[in-house]
Amino acid sequence: MKNIVVIGAGTMGNGIAHTFAQSGFQVSLVDVKQENLDRAIKTITTNLDRIIAKGNLTEEEKTSTLGNITTFTDLKDAAPKADLIVEAATENLDLKLRIFGQMDELSPAHCILATNTSSISITQIAAATKRPEKVIGMHFMNPVPIMKLVEIIKGYSTSKETFDEIFELSKKLGKVPTEVNDYPGFVANRILMPMINEAIETLYNGVAGVEEIDTVMKLGMAHPMGPLQLADFIGLDVCLAILNVMYEGFKNPKYAPNPLLVNMVMAGKKGVKSGEGFYDYSESKKAEKVSKMFLK
């Protein structure tokens, strides 16, 4: 396995491309907009510079990593030589089904089709292809170049050969792969998202403020980041999408997203990516509570 295609140049996509490229793989990064690709390469370059500053990478290795990445705006130009395609598009089922149909049509028969979905059924995604035995979940954690965990999720038809190959490949990336079965939210988000949702519920009910809730979880539970700050970092729209998938999948009210989260996303308050969420990132990343407007 030498040629990797990554679909989506956003936060997760550029991180996945960075990780594969730094491990010596030839990476084709695909996005529908050239501006997204340009931004992704800039982000990867900045992140490589940070690694160099810490003494964990040389300038030569940075040059080699960037040289391993080629960008495309059309999947049909990248897919024909792919050994593995990793889809890292928005957490939207219809979009993923369309992309997987294209991946299946355009890639060679031996190519494994993986998704970085954080909650959607691998079995359902695989049904959009004619090679369900070669469809698998590779759920990387953000930031991808730093976080060690990769959830490896088998669909109903995923073959043992496909699973074993992706499991070993993840080790070659310096990751710790963990086998997970195909249920909504898998393990990471099935546990994490209800906690984030409960933190939002706590704020919504006026039990404590944003910084106070995060302080309790950081100092009392030894979490490196409070749940509301983490939600901002993940993206409130992503949190909402995952909770909706879990709510639909389990039909359990404990997964129903809090109204405050729904309102914030509708208002465009998506966290770090929009410059504003539970904290204000627009002015020197000064922590300011912005959710009070929804509590009136």
Side-chain angles (χ1 to χ4, degrees), residues 54-75:
K54 293 179 180 179
N56 296 324
L57 195 75
T58 66
E59 285 287 349
E60 291 75 15
E61 289 170 328
K62 169 189 170 182
T63 300
S64 176
T65 297
L66 292 172
N68 287 338
I69 303 173
T70 307
T71 61
F72 296 90
T73 55
D74 198 325
L75 181 60

Side-chain angles (χ1 to χ4, degrees), residues 2 63 103 106 121 145 177 203 209-210 240 257 261:
K2 296 180 179 178
T63 300
M103 289 161 61
L106 297 171
S121 167
L203 175 66
V210 172
L240 178 60
L261 175 61

Side-chain angles (χ1 to χ4, degrees), residues 263-277:
N263 283 343
M264 290 180 73
V265 172
M266 285 195 299
K269 315 295 185 186
K270 299 178 181 179
V272 175
K273 69 174 75 175
S274 70
E276 204 170 356

Side-chain angles (χ1 to χ4, degrees), residues 228-249:
L228 298 176
Q229 184 183 12
L230 179 57
D232 277 354
F233 187 72
I234 293 169
L236 301 189
D237 55 333
V238 175
C239 293
L240 178 60
I242 295 169
L243 283 165
N244 281 331
V245 168
M246 293 168 66
Y247 180 62
E248 289 299 319

Side-chain angles (χ1 to χ4, degrees), residues 28-284:
S28 298
L29 181 58
V30 182
D31 197 283
V32 292
K33 294 183 179 180
Q34 184 61 48
E35 63 194 69
N36 293 344
L37 293 166
D38 294 340
R39 188 181 306 114
I41 296 299
K42 183 178 179 180
T43 297
I44 293 170
T45 302
T46 299
N47 289 337
L48 288 169
D49 287 335
R50 287 180 180 145
I51 300 173
I52 291 172
K54 293 179 180 179
N56 296 324
L57 195 75
T58 66
E59 285 287 349
E60 291 75 15
E61 289 170 328
K62 169 189 170 182
T63 300
S64 176
T65 297
L66 292 172
N68 287 338
I69 303 173
T70 307
T71 61
F72 296 90
T73 55
D74 198 325
L75 181 60
K76 73 173 185 290
D77 296 325
K81 294 182 179 180
D83 299 311
L84 168 67
I85 303 179
V86 182
E87 171 271 319
T90 304
E91 196 74 348
N92 177 284
L93 176 60
D94 291 337
L95 175 62
K96 289 186 186 294
L97 293 179
R98 288 198 301 272
I99 291 174
F100 266 79
Q102 295 171 356
M103 289 161 61
D104 186 40
E105 178 184 352
L106 297 171
S107 63
H110 74 274
C111 182
I112 293 175
L113 309 180
T115 174
N116 183 57
T117 181
S118 54
S119 60
I120 297 173
S121 167
I122 307 304
T123 301
Q124 190 172 8
I125 290 173
T129 77
K130 297 176 182 177
R131 61 180 98 181
E133 74 284 355
K134 288 187 173 294
V135 177
I136 195 165
M138 289 185 79
H139 180 210
F140 291 86
M141 303 294 125
N142 184 30
V144 181
I146 296 172
M147 299 293 280
K148 292 291 185 183
L149 177 67
V150 183
E151 285 187 305
I152 309 296
I153 308 105
K154 297 182 294 184
Y156 184 84
S157 301
T158 305
S159 69
K160 184 179 184 302
E161 292 75 17
T162 296
F163 176 83
D164 288 346
E165 187 165 4
I166 294 302
F167 197 88
E168 292 304 314
L169 174 66
S170 299
K171 291 181 181 179
K172 292 178 182 177
L173 296 175
K175 303 302 183 185
V176 178
T178 303
E179 180 178 353
V180 176
N181 290 321
D182 190 16
Y183 291 93
F186 313 131
V187 171
N189 282 317
R190 185 167 179 174
I191 295 170
L192 175 62
M193 287 302 152
M195 183 189 75
I196 287 175
N197 202 38
E198 191 64 28
I200 299 171
E201 181 82 10
T202 303
L203 175 66
Y204 184 68
N205 289 334
V207 178
V210 172
E211 293 179 60
E212 289 76 13
I213 290 168
D214 279 350
T215 297
V216 168
M217 295 305 290
K218 286 189 289 185
L219 300 185
M221 310 303 165
H223 290 194
M225 185 181 294
L228 298 176
Q229 184 183 12
L230 179 57
D232 277 354
F233 187 72
I234 293 169
L236 301 189
D237 55 333
V238 175
C239 293
L240 178 60
I242 295 169
L243 283 165
N244 281 331
V245 168
M246 293 168 66
Y247 180 62
E248 289 299 319
F250 291 114
K251 303 299 182 185
N252 189 323
K254 76 176 182 179
Y255 299 115
N258 181 273
L260 174 58
L261 175 61
V262 175
N263 283 343
M264 290 180 73
V265 172
M266 285 195 299
K269 315 295 185 186
K270 299 178 181 179
V272 175
K273 69 174 75 175
S274 70
E276 204 170 356
F278 291 106
Y279 295 89
D280 183 357
Y281 303 91
S282 60
E283 296 180 10
S284 303

